[in-house]
Amino acid sequence: MDEITEAEIAQITFYLAKDGVTFDSIIEDIESLDGRPGIRKEIFEVDGTQCKFIYFETHSVRKNPPWLDFVNEKVDATSPFTFADTSRSPNGMLLIKTGERLFAAVFGRSAPSCLNKKMLEPDFGIKTAMNMCGNEEIRQTRTQSNAITPTHIDRQASRPSDTFVFGLSEAEDLRYISAHIKGQKNTTLQGRDNLTVKVIGEEKLTWDRLINQCQVFLERFSARDYIALFPNYRNFQPASEEDTNALDAILLETLKAKDYSKLDLCIPEFLSAEEYGFSFTNKPKKENKVFSFLSPSQLAEFFPVSAELTIERLQKRRIFAYSPAEDRILSYMSWTIYDCLVYEYAFGDSYFVLSSGRWTKVDPEFHKSIVDFMRHKVREADAEVWCRDIDISDHDAKQNTEANFNNRVVELRPDSILFDRAKLRIGTGKKDKEFCDVLDLNEDGRIRIINVKKYKDASSINYLFSQAKFYCEAFLNDDVFLTEIRTHIDSSNSKSKGEYLAYIKPEIEDNHGRDYTLCLWLLYNRTEAKPDKNDIPLISQYELKLMHDHLRRICKFQEIIIRFIPVTITRYTQSKKNRST
């Protein structure tokens, strides 16, 4: 008699459901799933563990690829090349009830999209992998850098290595890892919200091992080993469902009370204020009210009755970008109001941040380090009298622009040099860099590198800090950029350009950060209360810390000074009908 071989599998991907989720509630749309081709469901047990398997198929029709249509343009029109194919693909979801928790293993391309994402534990994969693998047998990482343009960075080692080899910096947030389980070199774990298990050799997953492994994953997901092992990850953790619900309720009460002191409304990505306005509507025929900038107080106009304010409506209603150049609302550029809200709140002994539609809990030690940094390291000075109350309104464009402020600064200080909108090159890159907004030779003989941004939201402030770090570092290290800066000075109308050129030496090695003062000027509406450094959003304080530490410790800048500058701002509101596209 032939020996019966036990079925086994070498690769499988798991999701972990939140507490209380059932076989039915984990599915996004049961009715739609039941209408899929080949749908079949089976419930069974494995050693007392209840399981449910859902199978369905997807059918797709493939036609000419673009390159074939391209070729057909030149061949005999009566006999073009044609391709047509219909394919079927299997998909499956294996739901496993481990104790009171539910795991979902997915197979096939379409299976993950059938799961209700709100019912799944965020960061299940990366937390479990960090706790089970440690930081010594890592194969791959994916991080997001905090820079002018957030950059996703993939690193892969030729053999399993520790985190030191990967060179992760404090400025990067860890988003994904792939690593060997401690003591099991044939088993690799990888993921972020899901966890993929890969096994080589003879230790593939049988049914018994699969069920036992789920129990181990559940236990290790709750561990906190990763806090010491992966400092790049621990700073911002997803808030629990209970905390999220409580914080959402507090957010609604704050909005209904029209208390906007700790609240901001901004697009969750950087957009140039000069290039876009914003609207809460996108009516094709009726007029849409367009605002030159966003403010949380505008919500009261679109939710006049406080009872209309609900989290569900905030998550459905959208904010649209308006293009003055095209004179129309851009339907393809929109964000939910909830995703545009930024709110920070101390809840119990914990500190939470709402940003990009997600509540995160700030690590207590990390929060304390930022508070201490702002208190002891950041130098704030009063605005100089001569640059106060400058009108930055552009009535023709109906915008309030930093360019108007910078132009006026150069008029008031004719020896200074305007770099705003200068077209400079760094290395072999495009000729589209600025260096700073204004370069100023101060009365004490030191050159001030002045960077200006409107004080309006975390994205804008983050951009200011990232931009200052990026350009100052390039100034001290890039020969091409240094030459471009000196050429720009030489072509300026400043009567003191000779003094600037004598101060900024032509050779990189002769310029030192200690000889320059970096000034960060934040413009605020003079009719409102003056902010101070502690009012800067926590996310931006973190960005400031990264910039400050790098420029002081690495680039050796002697002084970095923040000033809040009162300016005259006009609130522009327009009514626009959409132009047909």
Side-chain angles (χ1 to χ4, degrees):
M1 179 182 290
D2 293 337
E3 183 178 350
I4 297 175
T5 303
E6 189 174 11
E8 57 186 18
I9 191 169
Q11 179 171 329
I12 191 169
T13 297
F14 293 98
Y15 291 86
L16 174 63
K18 296 177 180 177
D19 280 320
V21 176
T22 65
F23 282 157
D24 289 336
S25 62
I26 197 173
I27 304 300
E28 176 72 38
D29 188 343
I30 292 180
E31 185 176 338
S32 175
L33 179 62
D34 287 343
R36 297 280 189 122
I39 184 71
R40 180 183 169 188
K41 304 176 184 179
E42 290 285 342
I43 295 178
F44 54 91
E45 287 191 359
V46 178
D47 293 337
T49 298
Q50 191 175 14
C51 302
K52 181 177 183 178
F53 183 68
I54 303 172
Y55 172 85
F56 65 94
E57 297 175 358
T58 52
H59 297 178
S60 61
V61 177
R62 300 173 63 193
K63 297 182 179 180
N64 276 14
W67 57 265
L68 203 51
D69 289 335
F70 178 77
V71 172
N72 281 337
E73 186 176 328
K74 295 299 182 183
V75 302
D76 185 356
T78 63
S79 181
F81 293 97
T82 59
F83 171 81
D85 182 43
T86 301
S87 64
R88 297 169 55 198
S89 300
N91 299 272
M93 291 177 285
L94 175 62
L95 309 181
I96 304 169
K97 193 68 176 292
T98 303
E100 296 301 317
R101 300 298 292 271
L102 184 65
F103 282 86
V106 292
F107 309 93
R109 291 183 179 180
S110 299
S113 64
C114 296
L115 298 177
N116 187 338
K117 300 300 186 292
K118 294 181 179 179
M119 299 297 174
L120 305 177
E121 288 281 5
D123 287 10
F124 158 65
I126 192 171
K127 278 187 180 181
T128 305
M130 288 188 292
N131 286 329
M132 294 187 68
C133 302
N135 61 357
E136 296 180 356
E137 294 283 325
I138 299 175
R139 282 194 169 276
Q140 186 178 6
T141 64
R142 181 174 301 134
T143 62
Q144 178 175 304
S145 68
N146 293 296
I148 292 179
T149 302
T151 305
H152 294 280
I153 304 169
D154 287 320
R155 296 178 175 90
Q156 185 168 341
S158 59
R159 62 176 182 271
S161 306
D162 60 32
T163 50
F164 178 78
V165 172
F166 282 80
L168 305 178
S169 77
E170 185 187 3
E172 297 174 48
D173 296 325
L174 187 62
R175 296 299 180 94
Y176 166 97
I177 70 165
S178 175
H180 290 311
I181 294 179
K182 293 177 185 176
Q184 300 181 35
K185 292 188 176 182
N186 288 338
T187 304
T188 302
L189 301 181
Q190 61 188 44
R192 175 67 188 264
D193 289 330
N194 58 43
L195 181 69
T196 297
V197 185
K198 294 182 178 180
V199 184
I200 59 174
E202 299 181 356
E203 296 299 317
K204 296 182 177 67
L205 294 172
T206 62
W207 277 105
D208 289 340
R209 289 173 188 159
L210 181 68
I211 301 301
N212 292 335
Q213 199 69 68
C214 286
Q215 185 60 47
V216 173
F217 291 155
L218 186 59
E219 293 171 359
R220 296 308 296 159
F221 170 64
S222 302
R224 295 178 61 80
D225 302 14
Y226 66 85
I227 293 177
L229 296 172
F230 294 89
N232 290 77
Y233 173 81
R234 70 183 177 91
N235 296 334
F236 297 94
Q237 298 289 304
S240 68
E241 184 176 7
E242 181 182 357
D243 284 338
T244 295
N245 292 336
L247 290 161
D248 277 343
I250 294 169
L251 171 66
L252 287 177
E253 291 304 314
T254 302
L255 287 169
K256 291 175 181 179
K258 300 180 181 179
D259 177 10
Y260 307 124
S261 57
K262 295 294 182 181
L263 192 67
D264 205 353
L265 185 68
C266 60
I267 302 305
E269 59 187 89
F270 181 77
L271 293 179
S272 172
E274 284 75 18
E275 295 181 18
Y276 298 99
F278 303 98
S279 176
F280 290 83
T281 58
N282 183 26
K283 301 170 185 174
K285 296 182 179 180
K286 296 183 179 180
E287 289 188 338
N288 300 282
K289 184 172 284 190
V290 176
F291 299 88
S292 57
F293 59 89
L294 291 173
S295 169
S297 61
Q298 294 160 355
L299 295 176
E301 181 177 345
F302 292 91
F303 295 97
V305 180
S306 61
E308 295 179 353
L309 262 173
T310 64
I311 294 299
E312 291 73 21
R313 289 188 176 181
L314 291 172
Q315 290 173 337
K316 289 181 179 179
R317 290 286 299 268
R318 304 188 76 82
I319 295 173
F320 299 87
Y322 166 78
S323 170
E326 300 180 41
D327 191 24
R328 67 185 181 94
I329 290 170
L330 308 176
S331 59
Y332 61 88
M333 290 183 66
S334 69
W335 308 263
T336 69
I337 293 176
Y338 189 78
D339 285 351
C340 295
L341 287 168
V342 178
Y343 188 45
E344 298 178 6
Y345 190 79
F347 190 53
D349 295 328
S350 302
Y351 199 87
F352 293 86
V353 175
L354 173 64
S355 179
S356 299
R358 190 181 189 188
W359 282 104
T360 54
K361 183 178 180 180
V362 183
D363 179 79
E365 292 183 11
F366 174 71
H367 182 240
K368 183 178 183 300
S369 71
I370 294 178
V371 171
D372 290 344
F373 162 75
M374 295 298 293
R375 180 183 296 125
H376 301 299
K377 299 289 187 179
V378 176
R379 179 183 169 190
E380 180 184 348
D382 292 334
E384 296 164 17
V385 176
W386 63 270
C387 65
R388 295 180 182 179
D389 301 332
I390 291 175
D391 190 341
I392 67 169
S393 309
D394 183 337
H395 300 304
D396 293 332
K398 298 191 182 308
Q399 296 279 341
N400 297 281
T401 71
E402 292 137 17
N404 282 3
F405 177 85
N406 296 329
N407 291 336
R408 183 58 178 155
V409 164
V410 175
E411 290 175 5
L412 295 171
R413 291 179 71 85
D415 287 339
S416 62
I417 297 174
L418 183 69
F419 271 85
D420 183 20
R421 291 166 296 170
K423 303 297 182 182
L424 311 180
R425 189 193 311 276
I426 294 178
T428 58
K430 292 182 179 180
K431 206 173 176 68
D432 60 355
K433 306 301 186 291
E434 293 182 352
F435 177 38
C436 63
D437 289 299
V438 176
L439 200 64
D440 183 58
L441 186 61
N442 207 18
E443 286 77 5
D444 61 4
R446 290 177 62 84
I447 283 184
R448 300 193 299 179
I449 303 170
I450 301 174
N451 291 271
V452 178
K453 197 61 81 176
K454 285 183 287 187
Y455 179 74
K456 58 174 185 172
D457 55 55
S459 296
S460 178
I461 299 170
N462 283 359
Y463 190 83
L464 171 68
F465 297 154
S466 297
Q467 187 183 51
K469 173 179 176 290
F470 178 73
Y471 287 149
C472 285
E473 183 176 31
F475 165 56
L476 296 178
N477 292 282
D478 190 271
D479 292 291
V480 174
F481 195 40
L482 176 60
T483 300
E484 293 267 301
I485 290 170
R486 286 176 52 83
T487 301
H488 185 80
I489 292 172
D490 193 38
S491 63
S492 72
N493 295 323
S494 173
K495 296 178 181 178
S496 302
K497 60 185 178 183
E499 296 178 55
Y500 284 96
L501 293 172
Y503 197 101
I504 301 176
K505 307 297 190 297
E507 303 296 332
I508 284 287
E509 57 269 26
D510 296 326
N511 291 293
H512 308 283
R514 63 175 178 268
D515 297 326
Y516 299 87
T517 299
L518 175 61
C519 297
L520 305 168
W521 289 6
L522 291 162
L523 313 181
Y524 72 96
N525 192 336
R526 67 186 183 93
T527 64
E528 299 175 357
K530 173 189 171 297
D532 65 35
K533 62 182 183 180
N534 296 311
D535 293 322
I536 295 174
L538 183 73
I539 300 295
S540 300
Q541 291 182 16
Y542 176 47
E543 191 71 42
L544 173 60
K545 183 177 185 298
L546 295 174
M547 180 215 72
H548 191 281
D549 288 350
H550 184 81
L551 294 185
R552 291 279 285 131
R553 297 176 181 179
I554 307 300
C555 299
K556 306 300 181 183
F557 274 79
Q558 182 175 337
E559 288 186 310
I560 301 174
I561 304 172
I562 288 181
R563 285 184 169 88
F564 292 89
I565 315 292
V567 295
T568 299
I569 287 177
T570 302
R571 294 184 180 274
Y572 295 108
T573 303
Q574 308 175 68
S575 291
K576 290 282 186 179
K577 285 187 177 180
N578 254 337
R579 294 176 58 187
S580 58
T581 57

